[in-house]
Amino acid sequence: MNFKSQICTTKEQSERLLALGLRKETADMGWVKLLNGDGYTIAIAEDYSFIDIPAWSLSRLIEMIPFNPKDKNGYIYDFIIEDDNTISYYYFSEQSWYCIKYWGKDNLYDNFIDCIEWLINQNYFTKEYLN
């Protein structure tokens, strides 16, 4: 069998998360240069001194997402992950569901990174995860 599942953020996705201000200590994995200098390999982030570029598993990204943030009007948003790799925030009001924000790229990691960027800009993201 040849699985093509992504186990963590790519180097580019990781650099984007760092640029958004995520602390490297929130990463649970990392990209490490190979000893022969010919590329990178992935490692579990137990000792950050060996990690060249932090990386985040999907479970770590999910763990950092606030599932029920409350907006300034008091609406509580519900976070939803769909089967087609899309993610969104909804809220319920007067017997109807309203979509607040939706991310629909093919890559679930990219959707989570876009979501984290939006959460940071809306001041909904947990401050202790940021520099």
Side-chain angles (χ1 to χ4, degrees):
M1 286 187 206
N2 186 11
F3 293 105
K4 296 181 181 180
S5 302
Q6 186 175 335
I7 62 168
C8 65
T9 53
T10 64
K11 293 185 294 280
E12 294 80 13
Q13 290 167 332
S14 295
E15 288 167 353
R16 184 168 172 218
L17 287 168
L18 291 170
L20 288 172
L22 262 68
R23 295 176 57 227
K24 69 178 182 179
E25 293 82 11
T26 62
D28 56 343
M29 305 182 90
W31 291 97
V32 179
K33 281 188 184 175
L34 295 173
L35 291 176
N36 65 6
D38 191 29
Y40 288 85
T41 189
I42 199 69
I44 301 299
E46 293 179 5
D47 181 352
Y48 288 96
S49 63
F50 294 105
I51 301 293
D52 294 299
I53 303 170
W56 289 261
S57 67
L58 186 58
S59 62
R60 180 55 58 98
L61 293 175
I62 291 170
E63 183 180 326
M64 291 191 302
I65 294 288
F67 274 68
N68 300 108
K70 183 189 270 188
D71 75 4
K72 63 184 176 190
N73 298 316
Y75 290 112
I76 298 174
Y77 300 160
D78 289 315
F79 184 75
I80 298 172
I81 303 172
E82 302 286 346
D83 290 339
D84 63 354
N85 288 336
T86 62
I87 59 177
S88 54
Y89 275 104
Y90 284 85
Y91 76 91
F92 186 79
S93 176
E94 300 178 20
Q95 302 178 341
S96 294
W97 285 97
Y98 297 93
C99 182
I100 296 301
K101 194 67 180 169
Y102 167 87
W103 298 273
K105 294 179 180 173
D106 290 337
N107 185 295
L108 189 56
Y109 283 87
D110 288 331
N111 289 333
F112 267 93
I113 294 167
D114 289 346
C115 176
I116 288 170
E117 181 176 22
W118 180 78
L119 289 165
I120 290 169
N121 291 334
Q122 299 299 314
N123 293 316
Y124 296 146
F125 199 70
T126 305
K127 303 290 186 243
E128 68 186 66
Y129 298 149
L130 301 171
N131 291 322

